[in-house]
Each structure stands twice: as structure tokens, then as C-alpha cells.
Amino acid sequence: AADRDHRVRDLERARLRDDYCGALEARSRRAAERLDWQQAAILAALLEERLQDADGQFSRTLEALQVFEQPKAVAPPPGFTAVLRPYQADGLGWLLAMKQSGLGVCLADDMGLGKTVQVLALLAWRKQQGAAFPSLVVLPRSLIFNWSSEAERFAPMLRQGFYLGSQRGQILKKLGSIDILFTTYGTLRQDPVPLAREHFDYCILDESQAIKNADSATAKAVRTIRADHRLAMTGTPVENRLAELFSQLEFLNPGLFGETFLRQFSGGQLTLKAEQSIRLQKAVRPFLLRRTKEAVASELPPKREQVIFCELDSEQRACYEELKEYYRQQRHQEKKEGGAQKLEALTALLRL
């Protein structure tokens, strides 16, 4: 009798589970009919990409989003002094199209392909369109000079501000007269509250692999920023684990990817099964644009190499000769004793 009761309870649980799952999928189908293409992309991730709906409407809507992989090229606005290469004009068109969709995206071109100039052209267009708020650029301190000089050179219409140093609070009082505000990951991590209270048009992360650890203070700090649009820039969206990519995507579109989906792809290994790889590509494809140097080689200028010889002054030459003579004597002594070491020879070459 006890066994029979257990079987009855198990059957009842199975029936309730099937009813619940059926109701959930039916609700998803009804909702998909009311969704536009942007909402369809979000629902695809949240429901772990359940694309096999009965009438195919959901799948067709999501497929429509893929057109942004081949956007129409857009020229920079008047006053922008740089001439964009064809792939950069395509990138600008993609950025503007995805801004229109309201989705945060990652520009993941190879290093050296001009991600900065594409984003400056985007910000120049935002000023032309009358953006109501300034844009915030968060980046490593070593890149501030490069960004500032390129903005001054190519987009002189963009008024710059810097949220740095002990007097950084003063710049927030002048946000109304600023188009682009620069700060560093370290500054934002140490003092996130003042910037979190402000409203920005764009929040842009350069070298966004800096937030690859979703639980780090830096990643949490950037997520507090209130912005109408979000953009990440990196040449290496994944370095060691897929979780690094999802940390960046979570900044771009908070809550977009469900916990179950993330758990399937956030393990320590990069090797995926064929089915997992296909699902992952479909999930992240709308949010990431990556061009390699090989793919756009025909659009790049010819490679130029310049060899520069640096002459040592008398003090440097004396130091060099002394060090060289020391290692020469040491190697000679090692050979006599039969104990020459390759590692020590390498050390000598590195020091010289």
C-alpha cells in the first residue's frame, strides 16, 4: 500500500510538472506574437533560446535581427575630419542601428582597426542629433591621452571633460557644457556614487575585458551607471573563460541572459559541443561585431616598417661594455669548468 501511494504521488507530481511546462510554453507562444524584433531577441535569451515555437513566428522575428550583421555604411557627420575606411563606415552604421534598437553592443574589432574613431563618429552623430546628456567613457588611465587627442583632432565639435583627481567633483557641476566625459576604471571603482547619480547618453567601456570578473568591484561599479545606451570596446572579448564574455554582455543588457543559459556556458573550459556552439552563436550574434585584420586586409593601407638606430652616449656605452665583458668572462670560466648553462646565457642576452 505504501509503495502504491508513493507511485500515485510521483505520477501526480509528473502530471503537474507537465501541465506547468505546457502552460509556460503556450504563454511564450502567445507572447511572441505580440513582440517586436527587439523584444524577441531578449526573450530568446531569457527562455534559453526556445526557438522551436509552433507557428515559427518567434524564430522569424529573431532572424530579422540578424540583418544588423550586414548594416548599411554610414558616413560621419559634417565637421568630423577623419575619413572612415569602408569597414569602419559599416561599423558606424551598425552602431547607429543598434542604438536605435535600444540594445547594448560590443565592438570587438582586432586591435589596430580603429575602434576609437568609429565610436567618436558615433558620438559626433549623437551631438548632431541633439543628445540630451553627455556620454561617459571609462577606460584605463594609459588611454586617456590617446582618446583626448583623437577627439580633438577628428571630432572638434565634442566638448571634453575629465572626472579625475581630487577636484573631480567640480566637473560634475559643468556636465551641461560637456559632450564626452572621461574617467578611469580605478576612479570609478573607488568613487562610484557621484557618477551613478548622473544621467548619461552613452556609457562606453574601452578595454572592457577589465570587467571580465562579474563579481569584481570594477564590474559592479560600472553597472551602477545610468545611461540610455551602453557600448563595450575590446579586441579580446574572451581571454580564458566564456564567463568573461557574459560579464560584459550583462553590463550591456542587464538581465538579458537567464541564469540557466549562463550556467551552461560559464564553465572553465572553452571547448563546446557542436550544439552548444550553435546556440551560443545565435545568442550573442546580435550584440557583438568583430572584424579581424585578415578579413579587412584589402581595406588597410600597405604595411610600413621603419628601423631606427639609437646611438648610446658615452656613459651608456661604458656601462654596456662593462656588462658585456662581465658575461664574456663568466661564459669563458664556465666553459673551462664544463658547466655552461643555457639559462645564464639567455639572462646575459636579455640584460644586454
Side-chain angles (χ1 to χ4, degrees):
D3 291 342
R4 184 173 62 254
D5 291 340
H6 281 304
R7 286 196 296 272
V8 170
R9 283 196 294 270
D10 289 343
L11 289 172
E12 184 64 18
R13 290 194 192 98
R15 185 184 64 79
L16 290 174
R17 184 171 62 250
D18 291 343
D19 290 346
Y20 174 77
C21 292
L24 178 62
E25 293 190 2
R27 191 190 317 163
S28 298
R29 286 196 298 272
R30 291 194 298 271
E33 296 174 356
R34 301 191 300 269
L35 293 176
D36 59 19
W37 61 266
Q38 173 191 353
Q39 294 168 315
I42 296 174
L43 188 59
L46 291 177
L47 296 184
E48 303 171 39
E49 295 204 326
R50 291 185 182 178
L51 302 180
Q52 303 301 322
D53 51 300
D55 56 8
Q57 177 63 36
F58 182 72
S59 298
R60 289 195 298 271
T61 305
L62 181 58
E63 287 173 1
L65 187 61
Q66 308 304 318
V67 299
F68 290 105
E69 288 295 332
Q70 299 295 331
K72 293 182 179 179
V74 174
F80 193 82
T81 61
V83 177
L84 299 185
R85 297 190 176 96
Y87 73 88
Q88 292 173 326
D90 288 340
L92 176 58
W94 181 78
L95 291 171
L96 287 168
M98 297 309 287
K99 177 203 72 68
Q100 202 63 24
S101 77
L103 294 173
V105 293
C106 178
L107 182 60
D109 290 344
D110 268 354
M111 183 177 66
L113 293 186
K115 294 187 288 292
T116 302
V117 74
Q118 294 176 66
V119 174
L120 286 173
L122 169 69
L123 296 180
W125 265 119
R126 291 300 295 141
K127 182 175 177 65
Q128 179 89 357
Q129 295 165 352
F133 305 101
S135 291
L136 176 68
V137 178
V138 187
L139 69 172
R141 182 175 292 273
S142 60
L143 298 182
I144 289 180
F145 175 79
N146 180 67
W147 264 88
S148 179
S149 60
E150 289 202 14
E152 185 176 353
R153 177 183 176 189
F154 299 132
M157 74 287 291
L158 297 178
R159 299 165 296 177
Q160 302 180 39
F162 301 88
Y163 185 75
L164 301 166
S166 59
Q167 302 298 318
R168 58 180 175 268
Q170 299 300 316
I171 196 67
L172 298 182
K173 300 176 182 178
K174 306 175 184 178
L175 280 183
S177 60
I178 290 174
D179 298 309
I180 178 171
L181 181 67
F182 297 103
T183 192
T184 65
Y185 287 106
T187 301
L188 181 57
R189 180 177 62 248
Q190 295 168 9
D191 190 21
V193 176
L195 287 176
R197 291 174 178 160
E198 303 297 336
H199 194 144
F200 296 98
D201 182 47
Y202 261 94
C203 179
I204 300 169
L205 305 186
D206 195 3
E207 300 293 346
S208 61
Q209 67 270 18
I211 64 165
K212 63 184 180 181
N213 182 354
D215 296 323
S216 67
T218 301
K220 292 177 181 177
V222 299
R223 292 191 181 102
T224 65
I225 300 301
R226 185 161 52 114
D228 295 332
H229 312 285
R230 296 188 174 196
L231 170 63
M233 303 165 59
T234 178
T236 53
V238 179
E239 292 179 330
N240 298 305
R241 300 181 301 130
L242 287 172
E244 299 168 1
L245 172 62
F246 288 118
S247 177
Q248 296 167 70
L249 292 176
E250 180 64 17
F251 158 76
L252 295 171
N253 300 286
L256 179 66
F257 292 89
E259 293 183 3
T260 302
F261 183 88
L262 292 176
R263 193 161 51 245
Q264 291 178 357
F265 297 103
S266 295
Q269 60 181 11
L270 285 173
T271 303
L272 300 176
K273 297 179 181 178
E275 180 183 355
Q276 287 180 311
S277 180
I278 292 173
R279 294 182 62 210
L280 179 62
Q281 290 176 24
K282 287 183 178 179
V284 304
R285 186 177 181 183
F287 315 107
L288 189 144
L289 177 64
R290 178 169 176 78
R291 279 81 59 88
T292 63
K293 290 180 179 177
E294 291 76 15
V296 298
S298 60
E299 302 177 28
L300 298 177
K303 183 179 179 180
R304 296 173 59 188
E305 294 185 0
Q306 185 176 10
V307 180
I308 301 177
F309 295 95
C310 299
E311 294 294 332
L312 300 178
D313 60 31
S314 57
E315 186 177 350
Q316 291 172 330
R317 171 63 64 182
C319 182
Y320 179 83
E321 293 296 339
E322 180 182 355
L323 193 61
K324 184 172 68 173
E325 184 60 27
Y326 167 78
Y327 281 115
R328 179 180 295 164
Q329 294 294 335
Q330 187 181 57
R331 290 288 296 164
H332 180 69
Q333 186 65 27
E334 287 173 350
K335 287 182 178 180
K336 288 179 64 176
E337 297 176 357
Q341 298 293 327
K342 292 182 179 180
L343 182 59
E344 292 180 359
L346 179 60
T347 302
L349 290 173
L350 290 174
R351 292 196 63 186
L352 290 171

PDB file of all heavy atoms in Angstrom, residues 43-69:
ATOM      1  N   LEU A  43      13.713  37.880 -25.295  1.00  0.00           N
ATOM      2  CA  LEU A  43      13.013  36.677 -24.858  1.00  0.00           C
ATOM      3  C   LEU A  43      13.776  35.422 -25.257  1.00  0.00           C
ATOM      4  O   LEU A  43      13.778  34.421 -24.535  1.00  0.00           O
ATOM      5  CB  LEU A  43      11.602  36.639 -25.463  1.00  0.00           C
ATOM      6  CG  LEU A  43      10.672  35.537 -24.945  1.00  0.00           C
ATOM      7  CD1 LEU A  43      10.494  35.668 -23.442  1.00  0.00           C
ATOM      8  CD2 LEU A  43       9.334  35.597 -25.649  1.00  0.00           C
ATOM      9  N   ALA A  44      14.467  35.468 -26.405  1.00  0.00           N
ATOM     10  CA  ALA A  44      15.237  34.306 -26.848  1.00  0.00           C
ATOM     11  C   ALA A  44      16.279  33.917 -25.815  1.00  0.00           C
ATOM     12  O   ALA A  44      16.478  32.733 -25.536  1.00  0.00           O
ATOM     13  CB  ALA A  44      15.928  34.604 -28.183  1.00  0.00           C
ATOM     14  N   ALA A  45      16.945  34.909 -25.250  1.00  0.00           N
ATOM     15  CA  ALA A  45      17.966  34.607 -24.243  1.00  0.00           C
ATOM     16  C   ALA A  45      17.332  34.193 -22.930  1.00  0.00           C
ATOM     17  O   ALA A  45      17.760  33.227 -22.300  1.00  0.00           O
ATOM     18  CB  ALA A  45      18.872  35.826 -24.047  1.00  0.00           C
ATOM     19  N   LEU A  46      16.294  34.906 -22.497  1.00  0.00           N
ATOM     20  CA  LEU A  46      15.696  34.616 -21.200  1.00  0.00           C
ATOM     21  C   LEU A  46      15.052  33.230 -21.149  1.00  0.00           C
ATOM     22  O   LEU A  46      15.023  32.588 -20.118  1.00  0.00           O
ATOM     23  CB  LEU A  46      14.646  35.679 -20.867  1.00  0.00           C
ATOM     24  CG  LEU A  46      15.199  37.083 -20.585  1.00  0.00           C
ATOM     25  CD1 LEU A  46      14.058  38.055 -20.349  1.00  0.00           C
ATOM     26  CD2 LEU A  46      16.114  37.056 -19.379  1.00  0.00           C
ATOM     27  N   LEU A  47      14.538  32.781 -22.256  1.00  0.00           N
ATOM     28  CA  LEU A  47      13.907  31.460 -22.304  1.00  0.00           C
ATOM     29  C   LEU A  47      14.849  30.411 -22.878  1.00  0.00           C
ATOM     30  O   LEU A  47      14.415  29.400 -23.433  1.00  0.00           O
ATOM     31  CB  LEU A  47      12.632  31.505 -23.147  1.00  0.00           C
ATOM     32  CG  LEU A  47      11.522  32.397 -22.594  1.00  0.00           C
ATOM     33  CD1 LEU A  47      10.288  32.290 -23.461  1.00  0.00           C
ATOM     34  CD2 LEU A  47      11.191  32.020 -21.161  1.00  0.00           C
ATOM     35  N   GLU A  48      16.167  30.666 -22.752  1.00  0.00           N
ATOM     36  CA  GLU A  48      17.192  29.705 -23.159  1.00  0.00           C
ATOM     37  C   GLU A  48      17.066  29.306 -24.626  1.00  0.00           C
ATOM     38  O   GLU A  48      17.238  28.166 -25.033  1.00  0.00           O
ATOM     39  CB  GLU A  48      17.131  28.458 -22.293  1.00  0.00           C
ATOM     40  CG  GLU A  48      17.284  28.746 -20.821  1.00  0.00           C
ATOM     41  CD  GLU A  48      16.998  27.533 -19.984  1.00  0.00           C
ATOM     42  OE1 GLU A  48      17.406  26.449 -20.409  1.00  0.00           O
ATOM     43  OE2 GLU A  48      16.369  27.680 -18.941  1.00  0.00           O
ATOM     44  N   GLU A  49      16.695  30.305 -25.431  1.00  0.00           N
ATOM     45  CA  GLU A  49      16.598  30.136 -26.886  1.00  0.00           C
ATOM     46  C   GLU A  49      15.659  29.007 -27.304  1.00  0.00           C
ATOM     47  O   GLU A  49      16.005  28.120 -28.091  1.00  0.00           O
ATOM     48  CB  GLU A  49      17.983  29.894 -27.489  1.00  0.00           C
ATOM     49  CG  GLU A  49      18.885  31.084 -27.344  1.00  0.00           C
ATOM     50  CD  GLU A  49      19.960  31.093 -28.377  1.00  0.00           C
ATOM     51  OE1 GLU A  49      20.429  30.016 -28.762  1.00  0.00           O
ATOM     52  OE2 GLU A  49      20.320  32.165 -28.808  1.00  0.00           O
ATOM     53  N   ARG A  50      14.455  29.045 -26.769  1.00  0.00           N
ATOM     54  CA  ARG A  50      13.427  28.083 -27.216  1.00  0.00           C
ATOM     55  C   ARG A  50      12.854  28.580 -28.541  1.00  0.00           C
ATOM     56  O   ARG A  50      11.850  29.284 -28.600  1.00  0.00           O
ATOM     57  CB  ARG A  50      12.314  27.982 -26.172  1.00  0.00           C
ATOM     58  CG  ARG A  50      12.769  27.302 -24.895  1.00  0.00           C
ATOM     59  CD  ARG A  50      11.607  27.126 -23.963  1.00  0.00           C
ATOM     60  NE  ARG A  50      12.008  26.522 -22.716  1.00  0.00           N
ATOM     61  CZ  ARG A  50      11.182  26.290 -21.713  1.00  0.00           C
ATOM     62  NH1 ARG A  50       9.929  26.623 -21.808  1.00  0.00           N
ATOM     63  NH2 ARG A  50      11.621  25.724 -20.602  1.00  0.00           N
ATOM     64  N   LEU A  51      13.537  28.226 -29.605  1.00  0.00           N
ATOM     65  CA  LEU A  51      13.189  28.769 -30.917  1.00  0.00           C
ATOM     66  C   LEU A  51      12.190  27.899 -31.676  1.00  0.00           C
ATOM     67  O   LEU A  51      11.732  28.279 -32.742  1.00  0.00           O
ATOM     68  CB  LEU A  51      14.472  28.925 -31.755  1.00  0.00           C
ATOM     69  CG  LEU A  51      15.535  29.825 -31.131  1.00  0.00           C
ATOM     70  CD1 LEU A  51      16.745  29.891 -32.043  1.00  0.00           C
ATOM     71  CD2 LEU A  51      14.996  31.198 -30.853  1.00  0.00           C
ATOM     72  N   GLN A  52      11.893  26.720 -31.153  1.00  0.00           N
ATOM     73  CA  GLN A  52      11.020  25.804 -31.879  1.00  0.00           C
ATOM     74  C   GLN A  52       9.559  26.034 -31.496  1.00  0.00           C
ATOM     75  O   GLN A  52       8.882  25.158 -30.993  1.00  0.00           O
ATOM     76  CB  GLN A  52      11.426  24.355 -31.599  1.00  0.00           C
ATOM     77  CG  GLN A  52      12.876  24.047 -31.950  1.00  0.00           C
ATOM     78  CD  GLN A  52      13.157  24.301 -33.407  1.00  0.00           C
ATOM     79  OE1 GLN A  52      12.324  24.028 -34.250  1.00  0.00           O
ATOM     80  NE2 GLN A  52      14.337  24.834 -33.700  1.00  0.00           N
ATOM     81  N   ASP A  53       9.071  27.270 -31.711  1.00  0.00           N
ATOM     82  CA  ASP A  53       7.671  27.545 -31.423  1.00  0.00           C
ATOM     83  C   ASP A  53       6.799  26.967 -32.523  1.00  0.00           C
ATOM     84  O   ASP A  53       7.253  26.684 -33.624  1.00  0.00           O
ATOM     85  CB  ASP A  53       7.434  29.049 -31.280  1.00  0.00           C
ATOM     86  CG  ASP A  53       7.985  29.825 -32.451  1.00  0.00           C
ATOM     87  OD1 ASP A  53       9.213  29.725 -32.655  1.00  0.00           O
ATOM     88  OD2 ASP A  53       7.204  30.482 -33.151  1.00  0.00           O
ATOM     89  N   ALA A  54       5.514  26.827 -32.230  1.00  0.00           N
ATOM     90  CA  ALA A  54       4.625  26.068 -33.115  1.00  0.00           C
ATOM     91  C   ALA A  54       4.464  26.709 -34.481  1.00  0.00           C
ATOM     92  O   ALA A  54       4.522  26.041 -35.505  1.00  0.00           O
ATOM     93  CB  ALA A  54       3.256  25.924 -32.449  1.00  0.00           C
ATOM     94  N   ASP A  55       4.265  28.045 -34.504  1.00  0.00           N
ATOM     95  CA  ASP A  55       3.954  28.662 -35.790  1.00  0.00           C
ATOM     96  C   ASP A  55       5.159  29.304 -36.452  1.00  0.00           C
ATOM     97  O   ASP A  55       5.047  29.819 -37.558  1.00  0.00           O
ATOM     98  CB  ASP A  55       2.851  29.723 -35.621  1.00  0.00           C
ATOM     99  CG  ASP A  55       3.231  30.778 -34.593  1.00  0.00           C
ATOM    100  OD1 ASP A  55       4.390  30.755 -34.140  1.00  0.00           O
ATOM    101  OD2 ASP A  55       2.369  31.609 -34.255  1.00  0.00           O
ATOM    102  N   GLY A  56       6.317  29.292 -35.814  1.00  0.00           N
ATOM    103  CA  GLY A  56       7.519  29.824 -36.423  1.00  0.00           C
ATOM    104  C   GLY A  56       7.633  31.332 -36.383  1.00  0.00           C
ATOM    105  O   GLY A  56       8.644  31.883 -36.820  1.00  0.00           O
ATOM    106  N   GLN A  57       6.639  32.022 -35.843  1.00  0.00           N
ATOM    107  CA  GLN A  57       6.674  33.476 -35.822  1.00  0.00           C
ATOM    108  C   GLN A  57       7.838  33.987 -34.985  1.00  0.00           C
ATOM    109  O   GLN A  57       8.519  34.935 -35.353  1.00  0.00           O
ATOM    110  CB  GLN A  57       5.354  34.018 -35.265  1.00  0.00           C
ATOM    111  CG  GLN A  57       5.300  35.534 -35.121  1.00  0.00           C
ATOM    112  CD  GLN A  57       5.430  36.215 -36.457  1.00  0.00           C
ATOM    113  OE1 GLN A  57       4.933  35.729 -37.466  1.00  0.00           O
ATOM    114  NE2 GLN A  57       6.116  37.354 -36.481  1.00  0.00           N
ATOM    115  N   PHE A  58       8.062  33.341 -33.852  1.00  0.00           N
ATOM    116  CA  PHE A  58       9.129  33.780 -32.947  1.00  0.00           C
ATOM    117  C   PHE A  58      10.484  33.672 -33.626  1.00  0.00           C
ATOM    118  O   PHE A  58      11.304  34.574 -33.566  1.00  0.00           O
ATOM    119  CB  PHE A  58       9.079  32.938 -31.675  1.00  0.00           C
ATOM    120  CG  PHE A  58      10.106  33.328 -30.648  1.00  0.00           C
ATOM    121  CD1 PHE A  58       9.974  34.507 -29.946  1.00  0.00           C
ATOM    122  CD2 PHE A  58      11.191  32.518 -30.382  1.00  0.00           C
ATOM    123  CE1 PHE A  58      10.907  34.874 -28.992  1.00  0.00           C
ATOM    124  CE2 PHE A  58      12.131  32.880 -29.435  1.00  0.00           C
ATOM    125  CZ  PHE A  58      11.979  34.058 -28.741  1.00  0.00           C
ATOM    126  N   SER A  59      10.723  32.541 -34.301  1.00  0.00           N
ATOM    127  CA  SER A  59      12.004  32.348 -34.987  1.00  0.00           C
ATOM    128  C   SER A  59      12.194  33.359 -36.097  1.00  0.00           C
ATOM    129  O   SER A  59      13.282  33.905 -36.274  1.00  0.00           O
ATOM    130  CB  SER A  59      12.068  30.926 -35.559  1.00  0.00           C
ATOM    131  OG  SER A  59      12.004  29.969 -34.536  1.00  0.00           O
ATOM    132  N   ARG A  60      11.157  33.625 -36.867  1.00  0.00           N
ATOM    133  CA  ARG A  60      11.274  34.586 -37.964  1.00  0.00           C
ATOM    134  C   ARG A  60      11.575  35.983 -37.438  1.00  0.00           C
ATOM    135  O   ARG A  60      12.344  36.730 -38.028  1.00  0.00           O
ATOM    136  CB  ARG A  60       9.993  34.600 -38.804  1.00  0.00           C
ATOM    137  CG  ARG A  60       9.794  33.336 -39.644  1.00  0.00           C
ATOM    138  CD  ARG A  60       8.727  33.560 -40.698  1.00  0.00           C
ATOM    139  NE  ARG A  60       7.433  33.860 -40.092  1.00  0.00           N
ATOM    140  CZ  ARG A  60       6.549  32.933 -39.745  1.00  0.00           C
ATOM    141  NH1 ARG A  60       6.819  31.646 -39.913  1.00  0.00           N
ATOM    142  NH2 ARG A  60       5.398  33.281 -39.222  1.00  0.00           N
ATOM    143  N   THR A  61      10.940  36.328 -36.310  1.00  0.00           N
ATOM    144  CA  THR A  61      11.191  37.646 -35.734  1.00  0.00           C
ATOM    145  C   THR A  61      12.630  37.777 -35.284  1.00  0.00           C
ATOM    146  O   THR A  61      13.282  38.796 -35.507  1.00  0.00           O
ATOM    147  CB  THR A  61      10.254  37.883 -34.540  1.00  0.00           C
ATOM    148  OG1 THR A  61       8.907  37.702 -34.966  1.00  0.00           O
ATOM    149  CG2 THR A  61      10.413  39.298 -33.996  1.00  0.00           C
ATOM    150  N   LEU A  62      13.162  36.727 -34.644  1.00  0.00           N
ATOM    151  CA  LEU A  62      14.543  36.773 -34.189  1.00  0.00           C
ATOM    152  C   LEU A  62      15.503  36.819 -35.369  1.00  0.00           C
ATOM    153  O   LEU A  62      16.505  37.522 -35.342  1.00  0.00           O
ATOM    154  CB  LEU A  62      14.849  35.552 -33.318  1.00  0.00           C
ATOM    155  CG  LEU A  62      16.270  35.489 -32.749  1.00  0.00           C
ATOM    156  CD1 LEU A  62      16.568  36.730 -31.913  1.00  0.00           C
ATOM    157  CD2 LEU A  62      16.473  34.237 -31.933  1.00  0.00           C
ATOM    158  N   GLU A  63      15.185  36.080 -36.435  1.00  0.00           N
ATOM    159  CA  GLU A  63      16.056  36.081 -37.605  1.00  0.00           C
ATOM    160  C   GLU A  63      16.138  37.474 -38.231  1.00  0.00           C
ATOM    161  O   GLU A  63      17.153  37.850 -38.818  1.00  0.00           O
ATOM    162  CB  GLU A  63      15.542  35.076 -38.637  1.00  0.00           C
ATOM    163  CG  GLU A  63      15.782  33.617 -38.221  1.00  0.00           C
ATOM    164  CD  GLU A  63      15.105  32.642 -39.169  1.00  0.00           C
ATOM    165  OE1 GLU A  63      14.478  33.110 -40.142  1.00  0.00           O
ATOM    166  OE2 GLU A  63      15.203  31.419 -38.927  1.00  0.00           O
ATOM    167  N   ALA A  64      15.069  38.259 -38.095  1.00  0.00           N
ATOM    168  CA  ALA A  64      15.090  39.606 -38.654  1.00  0.00           C
ATOM    169  C   ALA A  64      16.163  40.460 -38.006  1.00  0.00           C
ATOM    170  O   ALA A  64      16.691  41.393 -38.609  1.00  0.00           O
ATOM    171  CB  ALA A  64      13.722  40.268 -38.467  1.00  0.00           C
ATOM    172  N   LEU A  65      16.509  40.131 -36.757  1.00  0.00           N
ATOM    173  CA  LEU A  65      17.539  40.890 -36.058  1.00  0.00           C
ATOM    174  C   LEU A  65      18.910  40.683 -36.667  1.00  0.00           C
ATOM    175  O   LEU A  65      19.793  41.528 -36.526  1.00  0.00           O
ATOM    176  CB  LEU A  65      17.552  40.477 -34.584  1.00  0.00           C
ATOM    177  CG  LEU A  65      18.449  41.281 -33.642  1.00  0.00           C
ATOM    178  CD1 LEU A  65      18.023  42.742 -33.622  1.00  0.00           C
ATOM    179  CD2 LEU A  65      18.415  40.698 -32.251  1.00  0.00           C
ATOM    180  N   GLN A  66      19.104  39.569 -37.375  1.00  0.00           N
ATOM    181  CA  GLN A  66      20.427  39.268 -37.912  1.00  0.00           C
ATOM    182  C   GLN A  66      20.857  40.232 -39.012  1.00  0.00           C
ATOM    183  O   GLN A  66      22.027  40.264 -39.378  1.00  0.00           O
ATOM    184  CB  GLN A  66      20.452  37.828 -38.464  1.00  0.00           C
ATOM    185  CG  GLN A  66      19.949  36.767 -37.486  1.00  0.00           C
ATOM    186  CD  GLN A  66      20.703  36.777 -36.178  1.00  0.00           C
ATOM    187  OE1 GLN A  66      21.912  36.916 -36.182  1.00  0.00           O
ATOM    188  NE2 GLN A  66      19.996  36.628 -35.070  1.00  0.00           N
ATOM    189  N   VAL A  67      19.940  41.036 -39.539  1.00  0.00           N
ATOM    190  CA  VAL A  67      20.316  41.964 -40.602  1.00  0.00           C
ATOM    191  C   VAL A  67      21.345  42.976 -40.120  1.00  0.00           C
ATOM    192  O   VAL A  67      22.070  43.558 -40.910  1.00  0.00           O
ATOM    193  CB  VAL A  67      19.084  42.709 -41.159  1.00  0.00           C
ATOM    194  CG1 VAL A  67      18.097  41.736 -41.744  1.00  0.00           C
ATOM    195  CG2 VAL A  67      18.434  43.565 -40.075  1.00  0.00           C
ATOM    196  N   PHE A  68      21.448  43.166 -38.817  1.00  0.00           N
ATOM    197  CA  PHE A  68      22.398  44.143 -38.316  1.00  0.00           C
ATOM    198  C   PHE A  68      23.823  43.653 -38.424  1.00  0.00           C
ATOM    199  O   PHE A  68      24.754  44.387 -38.155  1.00  0.00           O
ATOM    200  CB  PHE A  68      22.062  44.490 -36.866  1.00  0.00           C
ATOM    201  CG  PHE A  68      20.798  45.282 -36.748  1.00  0.00           C
ATOM    202  CD1 PHE A  68      19.637  44.700 -36.298  1.00  0.00           C
ATOM    203  CD2 PHE A  68      20.773  46.610 -37.127  1.00  0.00           C
ATOM    204  CE1 PHE A  68      18.469  45.431 -36.200  1.00  0.00           C
ATOM    205  CE2 PHE A  68      19.611  47.350 -37.034  1.00  0.00           C
ATOM    206  CZ  PHE A  68      18.452  46.754 -36.567  1.00  0.00           C
ATOM    207  N   GLU A  69      24.024  42.373 -38.788  1.00  0.00           N
ATOM    208  CA  GLU A  69      25.366  41.894 -39.042  1.00  0.00           C
ATOM    209  C   GLU A  69      25.922  42.458 -40.348  1.00  0.00           C
ATOM    210  O   GLU A  69      27.108  42.507 -40.552  1.00  0.00           O
ATOM    211  CB  GLU A  69      25.379  40.361 -39.090  1.00  0.00           C
ATOM    212  CG  GLU A  69      25.189  39.694 -37.728  1.00  0.00           C
ATOM    213  CD  GLU A  69      26.341  39.974 -36.789  1.00  0.00           C
ATOM    214  OE1 GLU A  69      27.471  40.188 -37.280  1.00  0.00           O
ATOM    215  OE2 GLU A  69      26.133  40.010 -35.580  1.00  0.00           O
TER     216      GLU A  69
END
